[in-house]
């Protein structure tokens, strides 16, 4: 049990790093955002892809269902707000969301998948609540500005209760790690 | 487990009513603002003798009637 929890922590750290770098890559706002201050992150920016693939494969090896479910739910939540945009594979993004959803339901235990989806949505909404003013001034999409602060807080509470009902151990592992990675990335 | 369902249901009800009420309130506030603006502009003009849009100063009414 402890070995599994330890493995899950390591996998989560690597996966959080991958998701953060991917988010920066997709947003394409490197010109607007300043380059990271630390030399290490600045060099990592140039070799994103190999490091991301390496970390992703290590995370997959350590904890397969959770890594896959977390990664794909981050993928889903990342393009949820542009649901009618055409993507490079000539599919609209809601179609891709449906395909990823079906793959998850087929391959991952369904409780694990929904737990991960709820947790990723919680982390996304918390991040939006923190960056409300920044995103408002620079014009990025933000759920807290779009739907209002109170609604977002209520949705966070609902999803928190649901994920605790699904599995409280994994909620206690994943949620603080996600918040910690967010904090670490903004601090570096 | 049952408590969880009850909490989720009540939070869902709060969410629905909160967002619906917010929508109604936004609409009401818009119309209230539209009807409020002319009055407030006129009031500020009468108080300061200054056009609130172009900041043009009018001759002040010294000691006369009206």
């Amino acid at each position: 049990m402890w070995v599994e929890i330890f493995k899950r922590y390591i996998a989560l750290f690597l996966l959080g790093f991958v998701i953060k770098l991917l988010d920066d890559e997709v947003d394409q706002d490197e010109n607007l955002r300043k380059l990271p201050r630390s030399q290490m992150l600045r060099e990592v920016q140039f070799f994103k892809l190999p490091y991301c693939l390496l970390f992703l494969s290590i995370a997959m090896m350590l904890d397969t269902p959770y890594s896959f479910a977390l990664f794909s739910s981050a993928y889903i939540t990342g393009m949820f707000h542009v649901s009618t945009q055409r993507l490079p594979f000539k599919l609209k993004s809601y179609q891709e969301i449906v395909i990823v959803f079906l793959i998850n339901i087929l391959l991952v235990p369904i409780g694990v998948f929904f737990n991960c989806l709820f947790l990723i949505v919680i982390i996304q909404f918390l991040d939006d609540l923190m960056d409300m003013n920044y995103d408002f001034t620079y014009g990025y999409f933000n759920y807290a500005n779009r739907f209002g602060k109170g609604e977002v807080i209520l949705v966070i509470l609902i999803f928190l209760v649901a994920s605790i009902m699904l599995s409280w151990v994994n909620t206690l592992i994943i949620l603080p790690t996600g918040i910690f990675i967010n904090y670490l990335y903004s601090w570096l | 487990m049952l408590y969880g369902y009850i909490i989720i249901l009540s939070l869902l009800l709060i969410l629905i009513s909160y967002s619906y009420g917010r929508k109604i309130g936004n609409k009401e506030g818009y119309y209230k603002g539209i009807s409020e603006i002319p009055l407030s502009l006129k009031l500020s003009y009468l108080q300061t003798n200054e056009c609130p849009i172009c900041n043009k100063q009018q001759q002040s009414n010294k000691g006369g009637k009206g």
Side-chain angles (χ1 to χ4, degrees), chain A residues 10-167:
Chain A
I10 303 286
L12 278 176
F13 267 109
L14 296 174
L15 203 70
F17 190 73
V18 170
I19 289 172
K20 272 301 196 185
L21 282 179
L22 186 74
D23 188 38
D24 272 10
E25 180 70 30
V26 171
D27 281 350
Q28 285 176 347
D29 50 14
E30 284 162 21
N31 301 325
L32 277 177
R33 275 176 211 243
K34 280 173 279 180
L35 273 172
R37 254 173 296 159
S38 72
Q39 188 65 32
M40 194 190 80
L41 268 189
R42 221 180 277 184
E43 282 177 3
V44 165
Q45 293 257 328
F46 295 111
F47 303 105
K48 258 180 211 167
L49 189 63
Y51 278 121
C52 278
L53 289 174
L54 179 69
F55 288 164
L56 190 64
S57 51
I58 294 171
M60 282 282 181
M61 193 190 66
L62 285 173
D63 190 352
T64 313
Y66 267 88
S67 309
F68 184 71
L70 279 171
F71 186 76
S72 51
S73 45
Y75 190 80
I76 289 172
T77 46
M79 50 184 195
F80 199 75
H81 65 277
V82 284
S83 53
T84 54
Q85 193 179 327
R86 285 237 180 250
L87 295 173
F89 281 120
K90 307 292 176 201
L91 284 172
K92 286 191 172 178
S93 66
Y94 69 87
Q95 291 162 335
E96 271 198 17
I97 286 173
V98 169
I99 289 168
V100 175
F101 208 86
L102 288 178
I103 291 172
N104 265 300
I105 286 172
L106 284 174
L107 295 181
V108 181
I110 196 160
V112 172
F113 171 57
F114 278 102
N115 194 2
C116 291
L117 187 64
F118 291 161
L119 286 167
I120 290 285
V121 170
I122 289 170
I123 290 168
Q124 164 89 27
F125 280 181
L126 280 176
D127 189 42
D128 277 4
L129 277 180
M130 304 270 269
D131 301 344
M132 240 173 102
N133 292 323
Y134 180 87
D135 285 349
F136 186 73
T137 44
Y138 287 94
Y140 292 125
F141 182 83
N142 192 328
Y143 286 102
N145 285 329
R146 174 77 179 74
F147 295 109
K149 214 172 175 181
E151 283 94 335
V152 167
I153 291 171
L154 281 169
V155 171
I156 287 174
L157 285 177
I158 290 171
F159 281 168
L160 190 65
V161 173
S163 64
I164 286 172
M165 275 167 67
L166 281 167
S167 150

